[in-house]
Amino acid sequence: MSRPESELAAGDHIFLAFLLWGPASAYDIKKTMAVSVSYFWSAAHSQVYQQANRLLRGGFIKEKEAPGGRRKRILSLTPKGRRAVTGWLASPASFPEFRNESLAKVFFAAHGDLEKIRAMLLDQRDHHVSQLAEYEGIRKLLELADNPEVPYELMTLRLGIAVEQTCIAWADEVLKDLDRKIRSGRDSGRERRGGSARK
Amino acid sequence: MSRPESELAAGDHIFLAFLLWGPASAYDIKKTMAVSVSYFWSAAHSQVYQQANRLLRGGFIKEKEAPGGRRKRILSLTPKGRRAVTGWLASPASFPEFRNESLAKVFFAAHGDLEKIRAMLLDQRDHHVSQLAEYEGIRKLLELADNPEVPYELMTLRLGIAVEQTCIAWADEVLKDLDRKIRSGRDSGRERRGGSARK
DNA sequence: ACGTTCATGTAAAGGGTTACATGATTTC
DNA sequence: GAAATCATGTAACCCTTTACATGAACGT
């Protein structure tokens, strides 16, 4: 799980970090997140507004109404906010947690319908393929950009891509295994109930 | 994010699924989770008790006091609970989300102290190495067991292992890159501030 | 002009974590 | 028999998600 904790959650620090790039509205941040860090962080659109309020209350950011008909609050870092980001960047990180519901279903597959599990996995595989394509697209864009941060962004992207590839390869392997089991199960008549003793 | 939703969260379904193996106390489930699905699911110890209460209220499980001095509530599936697990196993899964704070720090590394980032990454690498060792240990145990579920458990474990390996390889690569940057930064005097225009 | 997307939020509910507590077993 | 750890919980807090809303800009 987590370990450090200054007083702000990781998501809030990331929110603040985006303001290192310059002032932006909550909506801007949400949009930027979606195309830049989606492979390792995400937030519901409603959340960025709540984060903005929280961080405003805490004095980490300040706001300024933007001119124009459209109501738009431009957020920027206060000195306190900037210190918070810097401190965060210099401290250890919590360890990643993997939450993977599909793995849980495979784990308990002996108690379920293998064909359904197979369908679910195929769905997951499709998702990983499209994620991979998206990340490759981001990579193309990044490689064209000229900016001192790009090398770091590419580094993180490399992991995103590698993980997707790992997941796809894994899914293919498991899919093959499942097919074999399904076929052999069909050959030998209806499947057996698998409720043997454990532990 | 998520998609299905029967009315129970994924974690609750997983809780129920463990009861497919037979009656157990909340504590048993927590312990079992730690040595079997920790690489794709985890829960604070306090949570399993809350889940137990929730599922009890919902009629998915029933409890029975165990004999003996120690108070111990043995939980087991009700027909409704069993239906819930079965339905869950037969439905699509939500897509995995990766939450990785350390990647965020690398992403914004241009605004931080590279040596600190490097230290953080080393820490993360260590963690992945020890996770990997743990999973290999679980694999050894599983390979000795004789149980129709083992093949499925091994399948999921394979992904856990592959992901850790991917993370370690990635960390090594990035560590090398960072070292190079740190060294070249030192050679050419103090580092430059990286605040160039973006977008 | 009208529908759609953009942009902006609020409210409620809930899962999950941290912190707090405590009796029973085991260990030395 | 004291200490450690096992086993079992409760309470509070809060991040996060879902659902609900709404006005402005834009395309056609």
Side-chain angles (χ1 to χ4, degrees), chain A residues 34-151:
Chain A
V35 297
S36 62
V37 300
S38 61
Y39 49 100
F40 62 80
W41 207 270
S42 68
H45 93 272
S46 71
Q47 189 180 191
V48 293
Y49 294 102
Q50 297 183 45
Q51 287 182 289
N53 290 336
R54 209 183 308 154
L55 294 169
L56 233 17
R57 271 200 309 275
F60 296 96
I61 57 178
K62 54 187 191 300
E63 69 176 329
K64 173 172 74 215
E65 286 288 329
R70 170 82 57 88
R71 174 160 173 233
K72 198 177 173 79
R73 307 187 316 167
I74 304 294
L75 309 172
S76 56
L77 289 174
T78 60
K80 178 178 178 184
R82 190 172 294 272
R83 272 198 309 277
V85 191
T86 307
W88 173 70
L89 278 174
S91 51
S94 57
F95 298 130
E97 274 174 72
F98 297 95
R99 277 305 178 70
N100 194 324
E101 189 185 12
S102 78
L103 277 188
K105 297 193 184 197
V106 174
F107 188 88
F108 291 108
H111 297 271
D113 178 338
L114 288 190
E115 312 239 13
K116 292 286 177 53
I117 302 282
R118 187 181 167 286
M120 178 223 62
L121 261 179
L122 217 53
D123 180 41
Q124 298 276 321
R125 199 203 109 100
D126 283 350
H127 178 250
H128 288 300
V129 167
S130 79
Q131 291 294 102
L132 182 56
E134 194 185 317
Y135 302 163
E136 296 281 13
I138 297 178
R139 177 161 78 175
K140 293 270 164 56
L141 288 180
L142 279 182
E143 280 167 354
L144 295 178
D146 176 32
N147 180 305
E149 298 187 38
V150 162

Side-chain angles (χ1 to χ4, degrees), chain B residues 1 53 62 71 107 173 184 186:
Chain B
M1 287 103 235
N53 289 337
K62 55 186 189 301
R71 173 160 172 233
F107 188 88
E173 212 184 320
S184 80
R186 251 204 293 274

Side-chain angles (χ1 to χ4, degrees), chain B:
Chain B
M1 287 103 235
S2 50
R3 306 175 311 152
E5 279 3 279
S6 56
E7 77 172 299
L8 250 36
D12 286 342
H13 281 118
I14 293 175
F15 183 108
L16 291 178
F18 276 106
L19 292 176
L20 287 170
W21 292 358
S25 73
Y27 192 79
D28 292 336
I29 291 177
K30 172 205 154 255
K31 251 189 333 186
T32 305
M33 281 179 68
V35 297
S36 62
V37 300
S38 61
Y39 49 100
F40 62 79
W41 207 268
S42 69
H45 93 272
S46 70
Q47 190 180 192
V48 293
Y49 294 102
Q50 299 181 49
Q51 288 183 289
N53 289 337
R54 206 182 311 154
L55 294 169
L56 234 17
R57 273 200 307 276
F60 296 95
I61 57 179
K62 55 186 189 301
E63 68 177 329
K64 173 172 73 213
E65 287 287 330
R70 169 81 59 87
R71 173 160 172 233
K72 198 178 173 77
R73 308 188 314 168
I74 304 294
L75 309 171
S76 57
L77 290 173
T78 60
K80 178 178 177 184
R82 189 171 294 271
R83 271 198 308 276
V85 190
T86 307
W88 173 71
L89 278 174
S91 51
S94 56
F95 297 130
E97 274 175 72
F98 297 95
R99 277 307 178 72
N100 194 326
E101 189 185 12
S102 78
L103 277 188
K105 298 192 183 196
V106 173
F107 188 88
F108 290 108
H111 297 271
D113 176 339
L114 288 191
E115 312 238 14
K116 293 287 179 52
I117 303 282
R118 186 181 168 286
M120 178 223 62
L121 261 179
L122 217 53
D123 180 40
Q124 297 276 321
R125 200 203 108 102
D126 283 350
H127 179 249
H128 288 301
V129 168
S130 80
Q131 291 293 102
L132 182 56
E134 193 185 317
Y135 301 164
E136 296 282 12
I138 297 178
R139 178 162 74 175
K140 293 269 165 55
L141 287 180
L142 279 181
E143 281 168 353
L144 294 177
D146 176 34
N147 179 306
E149 298 187 36
V150 162
Y152 300 105
E153 299 179 14
L154 280 172
M155 280 181 201
T156 62
L157 191 52
R158 272 211 299 273
L159 182 58
I161 289 174
V163 168
E164 294 300 333
Q165 288 169 336
T166 301
C167 289
I168 293 169
W170 175 83
D172 286 336
E173 212 184 320
V174 172
L175 247 9
K176 228 177 351 178
D177 275 19
L178 283 183
D179 280 340
R180 201 173 317 128
K181 277 178 198 289
I182 289 172
R183 236 176 298 117
S184 80
R186 251 204 293 274
D187 290 347
S188 65
R190 71 267 158 278
E191 49 233 73
R192 301 99 172 71
R193 276 275 147 201
S196 65
R198 169 171 281 262
K199 151 79 152 325

